[in-house]
Amino acid sequence: MKIYVLEKSIVFSGKAWEIKQKLQESQHHYRYVNEWITDVHQQAVAPQRKTI
């Protein structure tokens, strides 16, 4: 299964049961798809700290 998070949408590619299962899992974390998209983009932009 593959999940593509675009700027304004999410595209699922896989078997129907895999997509249904992933949507049920994400339902516990996000109420709306928009929240999921925003969270993914914020994680990608957030700088990571390195400890020396």
Side-chain angles (χ1 to χ4, degrees), residues 14-28:
K15 297 185 179 188
W17 65 270
E18 293 173 323
I19 295 171
K20 185 177 177 181
Q21 182 179 9
K22 188 61 178 177
L23 286 171
Q24 288 174 348
E25 288 175 13
S26 65
Q27 187 177 19
H28 297 289

Side-chain angles (χ1 to χ4, degrees), residues 21-45:
Q21 182 179 9
K22 188 61 178 177
L23 286 171
Q24 288 174 348
E25 288 175 13
S26 65
Q27 187 177 19
H28 297 289
H29 300 286
Y30 307 105
R31 184 170 181 169
Y32 300 108
V33 175
N34 190 26
E35 293 174 357
W36 188 359
I37 294 170
T38 304
D39 188 41
V40 169
H41 288 301
Q42 285 178 353
Q43 288 177 2
V45 175

